[in-house]
Amino acid sequence: FLAAADGLGSIAIDTTQLNMSVTDPTAWATAMNNLGMVPVGLAGQQLVTDSICVPGFDPSLSMMTGITPINPMIPGMGLVPPPPPTDVPVVKEIIHCKSCTLFPPNPNLPPPSTRERPPGCKTVFVGGLPENATEEIIQEVFEQCGDITAIRKSKKNFCHIRFAEEFMVDKAIYLSGYRMRLGSSTDKKDSGRLHVDFAQARDDFYEWECKQRMLAREERHRRKMEEDRLRPPSPPAIMHYSEHEAALLAEKLKDDSKFSEAITVLLTWIERGEVNRRSANQFYSMVQSANSHVRRLMNEKAAHEQEMEQAKESFKNALTGILTQFEQIVAVFNASTRQKAWDHFSKAQRKNIDIWRKHSEELRNAHSEQLMGIRREEEMEMSDDDSSDNPSKKLRVDDSGKAKFLYNVK
């Protein structure tokens, strides 16, 4: 009796149901000679190896790629042999069931050919059945390949079997070429050579299409989420002008924290052409509120300039302290190179001291140049402040005067 395998596992032989010992070479040879076949096989050989089973569904075949899927209703007559195993060569053996016995094909013959596998195939065609084979016997043989959902038997010697999963089809294909004999009968109606092939079923294709549509929806959703994540934020929508909104905007223009948002709305309204004879006074009031922020902005600029000056002074003081320590380090190296101390160092120590001295002198000179540059800039600024004709000073005075003028004009 066949035992169902897990996943892509094997179908082994249940020795408790054997009417003929597989390990008995005489009995096996006699049975094979009755069929005119050379006895081959190994005890305990797997029925289906992992290498000949088609893996799970391939999303690359989905319709979300824009490639039109193959229509399985169109019969594909191209005969494609199953892929050869890559790990261990499959050696088929006799399979004993309760009601029948399956004898393997001649290993010297080429493997049975199959048609092109339809998308989402879960149904197999089984031909060459014995005339006396019943649906119960067929289920007994093929249910060991996996869960069977339907068996459609014809009056002739063939049937269609639909499995629950796609990988079970590959286990059933493995049985193609086996000679099936019912019991121990030698009657012609009790024997036949099985031909198992992929079948084209509308149910399989419908389920496959549903799966493709589901994958396409998931892919579209994933892409949309990714696009939304990478899309820059949209600017907030500007409300339409009304007297009520204008009154609220006038209050926002007076608030320093909401000024940037409010000034954008005011600019949009003016560009839209909302200013007319009726609203001119209201817009003038809002423009005047916007002007009142000029003095605040100039004060903020002055505060930032003061902070920058303080930072420059702090940086200059820190640089002066660093330069002082560099001078002390260089003085230590210079003292170490005098004859009184130099003669007591080894050759390797002298080499290191000389390298350190040169490196420290380079750093000291660089920092000294940077500090001198800062001092020259300060002297130039002081001389510019003393000159009344200096353009930058005039610019600062003009900015201050304009700010006071703009703020006082109400």
Side-chain angles (χ1 to χ4, degrees):
F1 207 92
L2 296 176
D6 293 334
L8 300 179
S10 63
I11 300 178
I13 298 177
D14 187 354
T15 56
T16 61
Q17 301 292 337
L18 293 181
N19 297 323
M20 181 188 334
S21 174
V22 177
T23 57
D24 185 357
T26 305
W28 193 359
T30 303
M32 298 300 290
N33 288 332
N34 291 336
L35 295 173
M37 301 177 61
V38 179
V40 294
L42 297 174
Q45 179 67 35
Q46 286 187 348
L47 178 62
V48 178
T49 60
D50 297 348
S51 59
I52 66 173
C53 290
V54 177
F57 184 82
D58 186 0
S60 64
L61 297 177
S62 63
M63 292 184 295
M64 64 188 175
T65 58
I67 302 175
T68 305
I70 301 173
N71 185 0
M73 295 298 105
I74 302 175
M77 300 307 296
L79 300 180
V80 181
T86 56
D87 45 3
V88 179
V90 178
V91 179
K92 296 184 178 182
E93 61 180 16
I94 299 177
I95 300 173
H96 296 272
C97 300
K98 185 181 296 184
S99 304
C100 63
T101 306
L102 300 179
F103 296 93
N106 189 342
N108 297 323
L109 297 177
S113 58
T114 58
R115 66 174 60 191
E116 185 177 356
R117 185 186 189 117
C121 180
K122 295 182 180 180
T123 305
V124 295
F125 166 83
V126 182
L129 291 169
E131 293 184 17
N132 294 335
T134 62
E135 187 174 321
E136 290 75 16
I137 294 177
I138 296 172
Q139 182 165 358
E140 177 187 343
V141 173
F142 285 93
E143 70 181 355
Q144 306 308 316
C145 299
D147 295 335
I148 297 176
T149 59
I151 296 179
R152 296 187 293 273
K153 187 177 183 301
S154 173
K155 293 181 180 179
K156 298 184 179 181
N157 303 337
F158 70 89
C159 69
H160 289 85
I161 303 175
R162 190 166 193 258
F163 293 97
E165 300 294 339
E166 293 183 34
F167 72 89
M168 300 174 183
V169 171
D170 299 277
K171 295 185 177 183
I173 295 291
Y174 176 84
L175 298 177
S176 185
Y178 269 80
R179 178 171 290 278
M180 181 178 180
R181 188 172 68 182
L182 304 181
S184 58
S185 174
T186 57
D187 191 354
K188 185 177 181 181
K189 294 184 178 181
D190 291 331
S191 65
R193 186 176 297 279
L194 299 180
H195 173 70
V196 187
D197 200 353
F198 300 110
Q200 297 169 346
R202 289 185 176 88
D203 294 342
D204 297 345
F205 183 59
Y206 176 74
E207 289 185 4
W208 180 80
E209 277 190 324
C210 292
K211 189 172 185 179
Q212 301 309 307
R213 285 193 288 269
M214 181 189 67
L215 292 174
R217 287 193 298 269
E218 292 178 356
E219 179 65 13
R220 285 195 298 270
H221 177 71
R222 186 192 65 79
R223 289 182 179 178
K224 186 177 182 302
M225 295 293 291
E226 187 68 13
E227 290 174 0
D228 292 343
R229 186 180 68 84
L230 299 177
R231 184 183 296 115
S234 302
I238 305 299
M239 73 287 293
H240 292 284
Y241 169 79
S242 66
E243 292 185 1
H244 175 70
E245 293 293 341
L248 296 178
L249 185 65
E251 295 298 325
K252 290 182 179 180
L253 286 169
K254 297 176 183 178
D255 190 348
D256 294 345
S257 61
K258 301 179 180 178
F259 176 73
S260 297
E261 176 186 351
I263 197 69
T264 304
V265 177
L266 178 61
L267 175 61
T268 304
W269 283 354
I270 296 175
E271 290 178 345
R272 285 178 181 174
E274 302 288 353
V275 182
N276 51 42
R277 288 183 178 274
R278 184 177 178 181
S279 61
N281 291 333
Q282 200 166 22
F283 271 97
Y284 178 79
S285 175
M286 289 187 288
V287 172
Q288 191 176 30
S289 298
N291 177 62
S292 64
H293 286 269
V294 172
R295 185 173 182 180
R296 174 182 65 83
L297 296 176
M298 294 304 297
N299 291 336
E300 288 182 4
K301 178 188 175 184
H304 290 308
E305 287 179 346
Q306 184 177 1
E307 291 178 0
M308 185 175 64
E309 293 297 331
Q310 292 176 354
K312 284 184 178 180
E313 186 66 24
S314 176
F315 175 71
K316 186 183 71 173
N317 294 335
L319 191 60
T320 302
I322 292 174
L323 184 61
T324 302
Q325 295 183 37
F326 267 119
E327 292 287 356
Q328 294 172 345
I329 294 173
V330 171
V332 170
F333 287 133
N334 290 334
S336 300
T337 56
R338 294 193 182 97
Q339 196 72 24
K340 185 183 298 184
W342 189 251
D343 293 339
H344 299 285
F345 293 116
S346 64
K347 186 176 181 181
Q349 291 172 344
R350 293 177 185 178
K351 182 178 180 180
N352 290 334
I353 292 174
D354 190 51
I355 293 173
W356 296 337
R357 179 181 59 80
K358 292 179 180 178
H359 185 247
S360 299
E361 287 178 350
E362 291 176 358
L363 293 175
R364 179 201 61 184
N365 296 336
H367 284 75
S368 179
E369 286 292 330
Q370 188 175 7
L371 184 60
M372 292 300 295
I374 294 174
R375 290 174 178 173
R376 281 195 296 268
E377 289 179 1
E378 291 179 349
E379 291 175 359
M380 290 177 63
E381 289 178 359
M382 292 177 62
S383 62
D384 291 341
D385 290 339
D386 294 339
S387 175
S388 59
D389 297 333
N390 183 265
S392 60
K393 184 177 179 180
K394 280 188 177 182
L395 181 60
R396 287 196 294 271
V397 173
D398 291 345
D399 287 344
S400 177
K402 287 179 181 179
K404 290 179 181 178
F405 174 76
L406 293 172
Y407 180 74
N408 293 327
V409 174
K410 295 185 179 178

